[in-house]
Amino acid sequence: MGLARYVVLRVVWAAVVSLVIVTATFVLMAAAPNPAIQEAATQAALEGGDPQQAVERERELRGLDEPLHVRYLDFLTSIYTLEWGWSDHRSQPVTEALVEGLYYTAQYSIPWTVLTVLIGPLVGVYSAANMYSWRDHAATAFAFFGYAIPNFFFGIVLLLLFGVWLDWIPVVYRTDVAVFSLENARQLALPVFVLVTGSIGAVMRVSRNESAEFRDATFMKTAKAKGVSPFRAYAYHVMRPTLVPLSTTLVSQLLAIFLGSSLLVEVVFGIPGLGRLTFEALVAQDTNLVLGATFVFTFVAVIGNLLEDIAFSVLDPRISYDDR
């Protein structure tokens, strides 16, 4: 089996996984009691009406009187056609609310991801090239610091220092500034820095450990004997085999921070992104919006793992696809 067929099978498997997750969500929603129906029955009882008739009327209005398989097909159609219902908390369609939140999340997520992918492996390889020197110890200390300190606490400390005391950055996030402007870069500098320091630690440590295995390899000795510069030797002969196991760490680390820490960072810095949107929907008990945000995070995780498998296969030509 070639690479192309393997990629196609992985794409099909990702679609199956997303279908299983959507189906499990439908089963849980069908089994859980609907608060709107219970509220209608309570309201009818308080007004002296028939609670059972109120329940039947509410079920009919919401389509819950249909057979289970019909409701399941309607649910699948609405999910994959992006008709995710109405958000009572935002007074707008769920898809529009999620697109608005994703717009602000992307403004710091894209530079954060780019900086992590570029800086993490480079610092790790540089640390391995200068192993047990003061440069190695400094890079290791920085990595452990970012890995250990909680992102939300670090964000609060930086916001107090640079926003309140030094007044270098705005304390309140402004949505009326242009995306590609100096003012927007100022107010996004701290969130990006907090996320980069939180994600670069694991990436740097893995790249350092993997690079250390190749620094005394035979091909490195041969390259040095031919007069290849250390920079070229590490860039061409160490970086690529290091990226094979590092691709797994990169995807898992970035997904973990995107799905978890980004919510806390958005709450701390007041960014109206996807994480804060989900938090406010949970507080307001906006079921449709919470469900839509959950699907977004789920699909991001599925696509991220798909890209991880493809990158792993492309970077390592030794992989055999016959047993996959």
Side-chain angles (χ1 to χ4, degrees):
M1 178 170 57
L3 176 60
R5 184 182 176 186
Y6 172 73
V7 172
V8 171
L9 291 178
R10 294 304 300 170
V11 172
V12 173
W13 177 245
V16 171
V17 169
S18 67
L19 179 62
V20 170
I21 294 174
V22 170
T23 303
T25 304
F26 171 80
V27 172
L28 293 175
M29 291 182 59
N34 194 310
I37 295 177
Q38 295 179 346
E39 183 179 351
T42 303
Q43 187 68 24
L46 292 175
E47 296 176 355
D50 186 358
Q52 186 61 33
Q53 290 183 357
V55 168
E56 293 177 357
R57 183 169 57 253
E58 190 69 23
R59 288 179 58 86
E60 183 178 355
L61 289 174
R62 296 181 176 274
L64 298 177
D65 58 335
E66 297 287 342
L68 189 63
H69 69 279
V70 175
R71 289 162 51 194
Y72 175 67
L73 293 178
D74 291 340
F75 181 75
L76 286 182
T77 303
S78 64
I79 291 299
Y80 289 105
T81 56
L82 300 181
E83 297 179 1
W84 292 359
W86 183 264
S87 171
D88 296 329
H89 169 62
R90 304 267 299 192
S91 298
Q92 63 181 154
V94 171
T95 51
E96 291 185 7
L98 293 175
V99 169
E100 290 182 6
L102 193 60
Y103 170 75
Y104 293 104
T105 298
Q107 293 184 30
Y108 70 85
S109 294
I110 293 176
W112 153 56
T113 303
V114 172
L115 289 175
T116 301
V117 172
L118 291 178
I119 297 176
L122 292 177
V123 173
V125 173
Y126 179 79
S127 182
N130 300 274
M131 188 168 291
Y132 305 123
S133 65
W134 68 269
R135 299 179 182 87
D136 181 27
H137 294 315
T140 302
F142 176 75
F144 276 115
F145 171 80
Y147 192 76
I149 190 170
N151 285 331
F152 71 94
F153 175 76
F154 193 32
I156 293 174
V157 172
L158 293 179
L159 191 60
L160 287 174
L161 177 61
F162 294 100
V164 178
W165 294 343
L166 299 177
D167 196 23
W168 288 358
I169 64 168
V171 178
V172 179
Y173 183 85
R174 295 177 53 190
T175 59
D176 57 342
V177 299
V179 176
F180 301 102
S181 64
L182 182 60
E183 185 65 25
N184 195 35
R186 284 180 57 205
Q187 66 181 1
L188 290 177
L190 287 187
V192 172
F193 180 75
V194 169
L195 291 174
V196 168
T197 55
S199 58
I200 202 175
V203 176
M204 176 265 174
R205 293 301 298 172
V206 172
S207 61
R208 177 189 181 276
N209 295 335
E210 293 295 332
S211 301
E213 297 183 5
F214 304 111
R215 61 193 300 263
D216 296 326
T218 304
F219 58 84
M220 284 294 291
K221 296 179 180 178
T222 304
K224 292 178 181 179
K226 291 183 177 180
V228 178
S229 65
F231 175 81
R232 185 180 179 86
Y234 276 95
Y236 283 88
H237 300 292
V238 174
M239 183 61 75
R240 182 171 181 177
T242 301
L243 289 176
V244 175
L246 187 61
S247 61
T248 303
T249 304
L250 274 173
V251 174
S252 60
Q253 188 75 7
L254 294 178
L255 284 178
I257 294 182
F258 176 75
L259 300 180
S261 301
S262 60
L263 187 152
L264 300 175
V265 169
E266 289 181 4
V267 172
V268 170
F269 292 99
I271 302 174
L274 201 58
R276 184 180 174 187
L277 180 72
T278 306
F279 174 76
E280 293 177 348
L282 286 169
V283 174
Q285 297 183 352
D286 192 338
T287 304
N288 290 335
L289 188 54
V290 172
L291 188 62
T294 303
F295 282 135
V296 170
F297 287 125
T298 300
F299 293 145
V300 166
V302 171
I303 294 174
N305 282 279
L306 173 64
L307 296 177
E308 173 189 334
D309 292 337
I310 295 176
F312 195 89
S313 304
V314 172
L315 289 173
D316 193 349
R318 299 169 301 176
I319 294 178
S320 175
Y321 306 97
D322 295 334
D323 55 348
R324 295 189 165 216

